[in-house]
Amino acid sequence: MIIVIRPHTPPEKVEEVIQEVRRLGYTPAPIRGKLQTVVAAVGDETTNATLESLTALPQVERVLRVQKRYKLASRESRPEGSVVDAGGVIIGGGSFVLMAGPCSVESEEQLLVTARAVKAAGASILRGGAYKPRTSPYEFQGLGPEGLRLLAKARAETGLRIITEVLGERDVEEVAATADILQIGARNAQNFQLLIAAARTGKPVLLKRGMSMKIEEWLLAAEYILAHGNPNVILCERGIRTFETHTRNTLDLAAVASAKLETHLPVIVDPSQGCGRADLVRVLCRGAAAVGADGLLVEVHPNPAEALSDGQQQLDPAAFAALVEELRPFASAAGRSI
Ligand code: PEP
Ligand code: MN
């Protein structure tokens, strides 16, 4: 259930509602917006008392029944949309964020050359995998701790914020010590223990959509992070597996538009994993902006032909810069600014 408090209610009156929700046997999760506070009440409505009685309190505007299984993630719980602050870079709320960088961190030179180039093109967040989830155990697995050290160095030099993947629970603390955003990859999107551990760091978490995940399952995975006390969740559509093999995955832009309706969380798009082909990334970025995404995660490498992972889908810095310039009118048509 969602309890909507009247605008301009003083904090002690909001607290009264929170206490009452608790007394009735639910866990209250207040969401404080600029204009209005709403309190999500999490609990089993079949065994607990009804919350409808709260409408008797003068500070309560309405009590809404949320039929959806995701409550904290639902658009109703925060109609104005949420923003995530990643080390001072704001994601959501009308901005169009560019996260770019190599698939994998390979060397100091590779990372710093890329970081400088993507920054000059307009990116504010540098991506790069230090721990890589590779399909084959014989493929490059990432530089691990050395990769994290290089990411920290790139941040110190460029001021870009860092997003990097955390593969397992035991790496969470180590990765969170460097990352401004923890990336949960498609293969781990329903690894609930990992989601909980990532939530507990308090760092923003970017949750990729699993390759066979329904939208509801994706939002329920986000709900795990929210329900464990971390409101800083960004969703990322990265393509799903379908019968089509012409592209590596099928980038589901309808899921982006749909997620924007269903949830208040920022939604970004990764067209690189989404299609697996450098020649399509540019137009898919435009499509993502046009359907209302809040930003992009794009793979950029100084020399894609020599990349240790995902070379076929990485852009060189010049192609990325051209893409950003072309993108501006698409983002602004959708009410976002780069
Ligand atoms: C990546 O971003 O390089 C990656 C491995 O992504 P995904 O988890 O979407 O496959
Ligand atoms: Mn990749």
Side-chain angles (χ1 to χ4, degrees):
M1 301 285 267
I2 302 283
I3 299 112
V4 182
I5 315 267
R6 288 185 201 284
H8 311 299
T9 296
E12 62 278 11
K13 288 284 168 196
V14 175
E15 193 50 40
E16 196 177 290
V17 176
I18 292 171
Q19 292 307 337
E20 194 53 20
V21 168
R22 199 169 281 131
R23 198 184 64 75
L24 291 168
Y26 296 81
T27 305
I31 302 163
R32 296 172 214 274
K34 251 191 218 133
L35 295 176
Q36 221 166 359
T37 295
V38 302
V39 180
V42 185
D44 187 350
E45 286 155 39
T46 56
T47 52
N48 283 322
T50 171
L51 287 165
E52 253 104 33
S53 59
L54 289 173
T55 42
L57 294 173
Q59 67 270 48
V60 171
E61 190 175 284
R62 125 188 91 106
V63 176
L64 301 170
R65 177 169 296 281
V66 183
Q67 299 293 6
K68 294 176 180 144
R69 293 165 74 201
Y70 41 90
K71 299 181 193 310
L72 300 174
S74 75
R75 175 59 85 171
E76 288 88 341
S77 71
R78 201 174 189 128
E80 76 276 22
S82 51
V83 294
V84 173
D85 182 336
V89 174
I90 301 298
I91 300 145
S95 68
F96 191 84
V97 70
L98 296 174
M99 308 184 186
C103 177
S104 304
V105 178
E106 297 171 7
S107 70
E108 180 164 338
E109 204 205 329
Q110 174 245 17
L111 188 65
L112 285 173
V113 166
T114 315
R116 289 181 204 119
V118 299
K119 184 180 181 185
S124 48
I125 298 180
L126 176 66
R127 67 148 288 152
Y131 290 97
K132 293 302 301 176
R134 303 307 303 279
T135 301
S136 160
Y138 306 120
E139 290 166 343
F140 177 59
Q141 305 286 309
L143 296 179
E146 172 65 3
L148 294 174
R149 191 186 69 78
L150 295 176
L151 286 163
K153 187 162 187 184
R155 173 177 45 208
E157 190 195 299
T158 61
L160 290 167
R161 303 293 135 190
I162 301 298
I163 179 168
T164 193
E165 179 163 354
V166 56
L167 274 188
E169 255 181 281
R170 62 159 198 213
D171 303 330
V172 167
E173 259 179 54
E174 184 203 8
V175 176
T178 298
D180 297 292
I181 305 175
L182 294 172
Q183 176 174 326
I184 304 283
R187 292 156 189 80
N188 264 320
Q190 285 181 301
N191 179 342
F192 301 118
Q193 297 303 327
L194 176 61
L195 297 180
I196 293 167
R200 290 198 172 130
T201 66
K203 289 262 166 135
V205 178
L206 178 135
L207 177 65
K208 296 258 196 136
R209 182 181 181 190
M211 45 189 107
S212 64
M213 244 173 153
K214 292 164 67 169
I215 294 170
E216 187 191 39
E217 292 167 330
W218 189 23
L219 296 176
L220 283 167
E223 188 81 7
Y224 265 89
I225 303 167
L226 300 170
H228 283 83
N230 188 338
N232 306 305
V233 179
I234 306 149
L235 297 172
C236 180
E237 160 62 31
R238 49 76 74 202
I240 50 173
R241 185 162 285 184
T242 68
F243 58 85
E244 181 58 78
T245 52
H246 198 70
T247 48
R248 178 182 178 185
N249 290 299
T250 298
L251 186 69
D252 186 2
L253 290 181
V256 177
S258 185
K260 289 299 298 177
L261 295 175
E262 288 297 312
T263 177
H264 54 83
L265 299 172
V267 182
I268 73 159
V269 171
D270 173 349
S272 308
Q273 328 299 322
C275 69
R277 290 173 42 173
D279 62 342
L280 295 179
V281 165
R282 188 174 126 207
V283 287
L284 290 176
C285 288
R286 298 187 201 166
V291 297
D294 298 296
L296 293 167
L297 180 68
V298 182
E299 288 187 343
V300 180
H301 190 288
N303 188 355
E306 286 179 8
L308 297 181
S309 60
D310 286 351
Q312 75 293 346
Q313 68 195 32
Q314 304 209 52
L315 300 179
D316 65 27
F320 179 68
L323 172 162
V324 175
E325 282 320 304
E326 283 177 2
L327 200 58
R328 292 184 195 278
F330 291 86
S332 81
R336 309 274 190 299
S337 60
I338 294 182

